[in-house]
Amino acid sequence: MELQILITVLLFLLLVLFPIFFLFRGKKYPDRLPPGSLGLPVIGQSLDLLKALKADKVDKWFQEGITKHGPIWKASLFGYPTVVLHGPIANKFIYTCDGNILTNTQPPSISRILGSKNIIELAGHDHKRVRAALTSFLKLDVLKQYAAKVDEEIQHHLQTHWHGQHEVQVQPLIKTLTFNVICSLLFGIERGPKRDKLLPHFQHMIEGVLAIPINLPFTQFNRGIIARTKLVPMLIDIIREKREALQEQKQANPLDKDLITSLISIHDDDGSPTMSDEEIIDNIIVVMVAGYDTTSVLLTFLVKLLASNESVYSAIVCEQEEIAKSKAPGEALAWEDLTKMKYSWRVASEMLRINPPVALAFRRAMQDIEYGGFTIPKGWQVLLSSSMTHMDNDIFQNPTLFDPTRFEKHSPQPPPFSFVAFGAGPRMCPGIELAKMETLAMIHRLVTHFTWELLKEDECFVRNPMPEFNQGLFVRITPIKATFMSSKASL
Ligand code: HEM
């Protein structure tokens, strides 16, 4: 099966990307190109990188390149000549470079599913405008009012899917949770048939984005495209309903406001809407795609860690029990409670360092760029890997050691642009506060209501490209009959 997939990728690359590759080979600059080889036409080193990704050995793949060629080298990846860069200075260059020089444009197959107006595709003024609209809701000052809502969604999730069970498959369940949190908080779509109808479409779209882009009946990519065509009319209806509710001022409670309502309400100085409906749809979709798998991956890794690292588990339980004791029975978590979970967030940050859900960042050169004594020709890709930076012994000493104290205030801080699990610069993840909220509230509810053990100690994961546990991470769970539980009445 794996061989079949590799052959399909190979054929696809050969047929579709052959002309692009020769267009961008950079023959104009034979002396100023970085060292390295473009390998076989078109295919280059793509299969090696895909294999390294699957085996979660991206840092090793990068290290081999650096050992052979130095910190700036060239390769050919996914049909494009590529310059691979490493280190905090290179990260700063990639993350903060003007959008007219390096763009974030995705392959056409991805924008076919996510839509051409999604924030990842946009550059310059349009990127700033859409990003400002999204962050007007996702920024901490606004989002912190919704901590109890996130907590309520988590408690309902545990009540429905964990309580009464002896064994659970963690990763798929937590994906359902992150989907539900985004639906409720960002889209204002509460539990019920409407939400249930959306889930499979989003899932197919996400699988389509991550699939080999071959549009034939029954391929994952094709399913993703079909899912988009089914989803868009549903989103148009949701936007219309929200617009009507706004006009009739049905939202008495300001906390009923959600990201979609917020995007509809924003107007420019001249009174025209800041975002078109098409932009709102594409960005609702991208927020779901960007926020669904990432946070669920982090939480799944944390569940595994807490089952296998006694000292981290005890310290987390200690911190969370203190918070639970300060709450009345049935009282929901508030933002102030989450701010006390400092150790838990250091553990989550260290997990993001060791296992960043997003391991690679690609950009495209919009013009010839001089960098580090070399030329990056127009049209080439530029690539960095957060895994590689996070595993650099010169930046994080003893990098394979899980050590949350690295993130203590008083510990020596790594140079800027070294911890890049959420990216950096103008495209830094705008969902960071939501991810933090979900992660901390879920850790709290899990450790104060359950103990658990891994059913398969050595269950591995592959990157596809997001980390996926081979069997979804099965754990055996036992409910805690605790006296300190803050909301035992509600669970
Ligand atoms: C642990 C959870 C998360 C991680 C590790 C993560 C990671 C990242 C990274 C690395 C980037 C930058 C990619 C690049 O520069 O190439 C990014 C961008 C983005 N993330 Fe997240 N993310 C997480 C959660 C979320 C959530 C919950 C949302 C939804 C609210 C979200 C929405 C976005 C969006 C819309 C962008 C594009 C921003 C732009 O282009 O300006 N992310 N994320």
Side-chain angles (χ1 to χ4, degrees), residues 95 119 127 131 287 290-291 294-295 357-358 363 421-423 427 429-431 435:
Y95 282 128
I119 185 167
H127 175 257
R131 192 169 163 106
V287 159
T294 44
T295 317
V358 183
R363 298 288 189 268
F422 289 102
R427 287 190 180 271
C429 178

Side-chain angles (χ1 to χ4, degrees), residues 95 104 119-121 127 131 134 138 182 186 283 286-288 290-292 294-296 298 345 352 356-358 360-363 420-424 426-432 434-435 438-439:
Y95 282 128
N104 205 15
I119 185 167
I120 299 173
E121 288 288 318
H127 175 257
R131 192 169 163 106
L134 289 177
L138 292 171
I182 293 179
L186 303 188
N283 284 287
V286 91
V287 159
M288 177 59 87
Y292 169 78
T294 44
T295 317
S296 58
L298 169 61
W345 186 244
L352 286 168
V358 183
L360 302 173
F362 284 97
R363 298 288 189 268
V420 285
F422 289 102
R427 287 190 180 271
M428 183 167 177
C429 178
I432 183 166
L434 175 59
E438 289 177 84
T439 305

